[in-house]
Amino acid sequence: MYIDYKKVVSEILDSRKETGGIHNIYFAACGGSKAGLTTADFFLKCEAARLESHVYTAKEFVLCPPRAFDANSIVVTLSASGTTPEAVAAARAAREMGAVSIAIVGKQDSPLAREGDYVFYNGDEPKYQYSTCSMAIALKFAVELLHQSEGYSHYEEMQKGFGILDDVIAKAREYAEAGAIRFAQEHKEDKVLHVMATGANYNVAYTTTTCILMECQWIHSNPIHSGEFFHGPFEVVDKEVPFLVLVGVGREREMDERAVAFLQKYGKRVTVLDGKEYGIDILGDSVSEYLSPLVFTGVLSRYSHRLADARNHSVAVRRYMWHVPY
Amino acid sequence: MYIDYKKVVSEILDSRKETGGIHNIYFAACGGSKAGLTTADFFLKCEAARLESHVYTAKEFVLCPPRAFDANSIVVTLSASGTTPEAVAAARAAREMGAVSIAIVGKQDSPLAREGDYVFYNGDEPKYQYSTCSMAIALKFAVELLHQSEGYSHYEEMQKGFGILDDVIAKAREYAEAGAIRFAQEHKEDKVLHVMATGANYNVAYTTTTCILMECQWIHSNPIHSGEFFHGPFEVVDKEVPFLVLVGVGREREMDERAVAFLQKYGKRVTVLDGKEYGIDILGDSVSEYLSPLVFTGVLSRYSHRLADARNHSVAVRRYMWHVPY
């Protein structure tokens, strides 16, 4: 796989130059894929002065489309299989609108790929690398888009961060192993397990709840934003209720730390994954915050597999998905 | 309370006319207040061609501010007590930026009110009316803002909808009573109860989970978007796990219906609140979708109180909020 982000972005911007330029971008996908795109959305919300960015679950984008969505919009869709009907419909809506349709897929010959003006294919890597996963592809595209359209002062630092990302994640995953085994033993009997994060990492909490716990382990969970914790959810805290908290390395960190302090005082069963322990801050002072969801995704994958082992409940088991029509 | 939305909006638009106009609006609050503002945000996302709208939990808005936030932005904050520190900080950030700060408060002499260029006070109503609650105030402001800035073709229909809203809600609440009692009996022993909705109603699911179930009843819950249900969460469904589903009356309805059909086939303990049964569609073909969260909020308040009765767990009980520092 090789994606020439510079060329793609340059072509897109040129194509809309005469009509006022690209004014907004919509990320539209489902479940873990939607969460994956949120990293790019968060980056653009924080760093873009003019380009407006939004995330939608794909079906809502199709049924309740934003009125600001027009031929000067970009729509980024994502589906690993390339077949998710809602994502395909969103990409089709983009083409019908005359917007720019970007499809990120893990399968090149797929319905979603056929709806993309540009197809970012990440399926034929020799081995899985986080720096070329779908989340990273969407973020790299967003970084390039911002840089060419408005300028991004930390562009070089971001490229450096991407350059060392796989090493940082490999080390983080290795470091995570012991904790993942302890976590799995501690929680193998639990029926409820809440996950907390904030900022760019909130989407990792969402994926952990939605895909790892509810989808793969049938464990109830709420992905709680650390900034919302004290406005309702914290009342469930006692010495029994387990929480998993991702602590960010950027500006959002104080929200996570405040939640952890409370949990350590009034709760008991708290697992803290501190981004600093995983070396995320090495990725660059101004960019590590945006790259951190990629590292946490790598770490949580270890947690997911060790939990599956301890529960003797494979991550491949489903009761409905792939088995019944819905 | 009387708010002259026309005059406020006209003043705001005039104040930014020379500098390019208002280009975006940020809704920033916490918990149920944040969810309440989301109704206005959803409306603007759907109906505004130029004005871009976003919702933030207030602390994240302050710590990780969007770069597009500038003196031509509006920031709407909300706190019933007027004291929520995160909301106060967001309103202060708005003033420091030279943006327009709108504070919605239930207490006029309060820290949040002091940070508002305009203060929308809803605390001295003779009796509580949904048409003048904070959620409605934010929506009315958004409708007027859109109408004066870009035009809104269903403006009159929306005003008519607001005109009959309290009647519709009063009837809906009365109709809800029997169902609320059944629901409370059915679920009084449950430790987990998931809530589902989509579109404008998603924020009501969020509030039901966050404030009614987790905060007031210490029941675990995940506010699941109906459009996301089949991308992970549905794997927890069995004959024991309870779900509460709000079925919308607008374009989003098919997502809710699809989730309900699955739950009725593979689950067993499903409570469906169908907006049509509550007369929401009477509010107007083009606007009932946007007004429906107000009706569902009224209905869910009944469900909340009947559940509290059945569990003998008052909605006023907290173990941390108001009792310990955090």
Side-chain angles (χ1 to χ4, degrees):
Chain A
M1 179 199 73
Y2 173 75
I3 300 168
D4 191 342
Y5 297 99
K6 281 185 199 297
K7 183 162 171 284
V8 169
V9 167
S10 163
E11 275 183 27
I12 291 170
L13 294 177
D14 279 352
S15 74
R16 300 302 189 279
K17 201 181 266 175
E18 304 298 314
T19 55
I22 295 293
H23 64 103
N24 54 22
I25 182 165
Y26 298 98
F27 295 95
C30 306
S33 295
K34 185 197 72 159
L37 294 176
T38 303
T39 301
D41 170 72
F42 183 85
F43 166 76
L44 287 172
K45 280 193 169 83
C46 287
E47 298 290 350
R50 292 188 298 277
L51 185 72
E52 294 272 0
S53 178
H54 301 274
V55 178
Y56 279 81
T57 187
K59 188 72 177 183
E60 189 155 299
F61 182 76
V62 173
L63 293 176
C64 310
R67 187 144 304 193
F69 163 45
D70 62 22
N72 289 49
S73 303
I74 296 172
V75 177
V76 180
T77 51
L78 163 58
S79 165
S81 67
T83 61
T84 311
E86 297 95 327
V88 175
R92 190 174 299 131
R95 298 190 87 160
E96 286 170 3
M97 182 57 79
V100 178
S101 172
I102 303 219
I104 304 177
V105 297
K107 196 164 177 298
Q108 217 155 8
D109 179 22
S110 63
L112 183 56
R114 285 190 281 280
E115 299 293 346
D117 297 321
Y118 295 93
V119 179
F120 294 165
Y121 167 57
N122 74 340
D124 61 358
E125 280 298 312
K127 66 185 179 67
Y128 191 80
Q129 292 184 304
Y130 283 91
S131 63
T132 54
C133 70
S134 301
M135 186 194 283
I137 286 176
L139 179 58
K140 283 178 181 175
F141 172 72
V143 168
E144 189 63 37
L145 180 65
L146 180 65
H147 190 55
Q148 287 194 30
S149 56
E150 304 184 12
Y152 173 45
S153 52
H154 301 292
Y155 180 81
E156 292 305 329
E157 189 182 350
M158 183 67 93
Q159 303 306 331
K160 272 186 206 158
F162 275 122
I164 58 170
L165 184 64
D166 283 320
D167 283 346
V168 168
I169 295 179
K171 286 194 189 106
R173 282 166 58 84
E174 203 176 314
Y175 177 83
E177 189 67 14
I181 291 169
R182 277 197 307 277
F183 174 85
Q185 284 305 317
E186 168 70 24
H187 296 292
K188 64 185 179 185
E189 307 289 347
D190 282 318
K191 308 243 181 302
V192 172
L193 174 54
H194 297 305
V195 187
M196 204 154 21
T198 181
N201 297 315
Y202 179 72
N203 76 73
V204 184
Y206 185 86
T207 299
T208 304
T209 278
T210 302
C211 305
I212 294 178
L213 296 174
M214 293 189 68
E215 177 177 334
C216 293
Q217 297 299 326
W218 313 343
I219 292 174
H220 302 291
S221 179
N222 183 345
I224 300 166
H225 191 289
S226 309
E228 293 277 284
F229 178 57
F230 295 103
H231 301 279
F234 78 141
E235 286 289 337
V236 303
V237 172
D238 63 20
K239 300 293 183 193
E240 302 300 324
V241 180
F243 280 81
L244 173 64
V245 190
L246 316 185
V247 177
V249 301
R251 301 164 296 174
E252 78 287 10
R253 183 174 175 90
E254 69 172 85
M255 285 187 276
D256 301 322
E257 286 181 330
R258 183 179 172 215
V260 167
F262 182 90
L263 282 167
Q264 287 177 337
K265 183 164 184 182
Y266 295 102
K268 197 173 169 208
R269 305 183 64 224
V270 188
T271 301
V272 176
L273 304 186
D274 185 339
K276 287 193 179 174
E277 278 187 53
Y278 294 102
I280 296 177
D281 43 347
I282 294 167
L283 292 164
D285 286 350
S286 305
V287 303
S288 56
E289 185 181 323
Y290 304 123
L291 293 167
S292 65
L294 289 152
V295 184
F296 275 123
T297 297
V299 167
L300 264 308
S301 162
R302 285 286 174 113
Y303 275 68
S304 167
H305 282 87
R306 292 302 82 78
L307 186 61
D309 296 344
R311 288 166 53 84
N312 198 20
H313 183 126
S314 160
V315 297
V317 172
R318 300 289 185 281
R319 37 188 166 185
Y320 309 114
M321 199 178 278
W322 316 318
H323 301 305
V324 303
Y326 50 87
Chain B
M1 182 201 70
Y2 173 74
I3 299 169
D4 191 342
Y5 296 99
K6 281 186 199 296
K7 183 162 171 285
V8 169
V9 167
S10 163
E11 276 184 25
I12 291 171
L13 294 178
D14 279 351
S15 75
R16 299 302 190 277
K17 200 182 267 175
E18 304 298 315
T19 54
I22 294 294
H23 63 104
N24 54 21
I25 182 166
Y26 298 99
F27 295 95
C30 306
S33 296
K34 184 198 73 160
L37 295 177
T38 303
T39 300
D41 169 73
F42 183 85
F43 166 77
L44 287 173
K45 280 193 169 85
C46 287
E47 298 291 349
R50 291 187 299 277
L51 185 71
E52 295 271 359
S53 179
H54 301 274
V55 179
Y56 279 81
T57 188
K59 188 71 177 182
E60 189 154 300
F61 182 77
V62 173
L63 293 176
C64 310
R67 188 146 302 194
F69 163 46
D70 61 23
N72 289 50
S73 303
I74 296 172
V75 177
V76 180
T77 51
L78 162 58
S79 165
S81 67
T83 61
T84 311
E86 297 94 327
V88 175
R92 190 173 299 132
R95 299 190 86 161
E96 286 170 1
M97 181 58 79
V100 178
S101 172
I102 302 216
I104 305 177
V105 296
K107 197 163 176 301
Q108 217 156 9
D109 179 21
S110 63
L112 183 57
R114 285 190 283 279
E115 299 293 345
D117 296 323
Y118 296 93
V119 178
F120 294 166
Y121 167 56
N122 74 339
D124 61 359
E125 280 298 311
K127 65 184 177 71
Y128 192 82
Q129 293 184 306
Y130 284 92
S131 64
T132 54
C133 71
S134 301
M135 187 193 284
I137 287 176
L139 179 58
K140 284 178 180 175
F141 172 73
V143 168
E144 188 63 38
L145 180 65
L146 180 65
H147 190 56
Q148 287 194 32
S149 56
E150 303 183 13
Y152 173 45
S153 53
H154 302 291
Y155 180 82
E156 293 304 330
E157 189 182 353
M158 183 68 92
Q159 304 306 330
K160 273 186 205 156
F162 275 121
I164 58 170
L165 184 64
D166 284 320
D167 283 346
V168 168
I169 295 178
K171 286 193 189 103
R173 281 165 60 84
E174 204 176 316
Y175 176 83
E177 190 66 15
I181 291 168
R182 277 198 307 277
F183 174 85
Q185 285 303 318
E186 168 70 23
H187 296 292
K188 65 184 177 185
E189 308 289 347
D190 281 319
K191 308 246 181 301
V192 172
L193 174 54
H194 297 304
V195 187
M196 204 153 24
T198 181
N201 297 315
Y202 179 72
N203 76 72
V204 185
Y206 185 86
T207 300
T208 304
T209 279
T210 302
C211 304
I212 295 178
L213 296 174
M214 293 189 65
E215 178 178 333
C216 292
Q217 297 299 325
W218 313 344
I219 291 174
H220 303 290
S221 179
N222 183 346
I224 300 166
H225 191 289
S226 308
E228 293 278 284
F229 179 57
F230 295 103
H231 300 279
F234 78 140
E235 286 289 336
V236 304
V237 172
D238 63 21
K239 300 293 181 192
E240 302 299 326
V241 180
F243 280 81
L244 173 63
V245 190
L246 317 184
V247 176
V249 301
R251 301 165 295 174
E252 78 288 9
R253 184 174 174 89
E254 70 172 84
M255 283 186 278
D256 301 322
E257 285 180 331
R258 184 178 172 216
V260 167
F262 183 90
L263 282 167
Q264 287 176 339
K265 183 163 185 185
Y266 295 102
K268 196 173 169 205
R269 306 184 63 224
V270 188
T271 301
V272 176
L273 303 186
D274 185 340
K276 287 192 178 173
E277 278 188 52
Y278 294 102
I280 296 177
D281 43 347
I282 295 168
L283 292 164
D285 286 349
S286 305
V287 303
S288 57
E289 184 181 322
Y290 304 124
L291 293 167
S292 65
L294 288 152
V295 185
F296 275 123
T297 297
V299 167
L300 265 306
S301 162
R302 285 286 172 113
Y303 275 68
S304 167
H305 282 88
R306 294 302 83 76
L307 186 61
D309 295 345
R311 288 166 53 84
N312 198 20
H313 183 127
S314 160
V315 298
V317 172
R318 300 290 185 282
R319 38 188 164 185
Y320 309 114
M321 201 178 276
W322 316 318
H323 300 307
V324 302
Y326 50 85

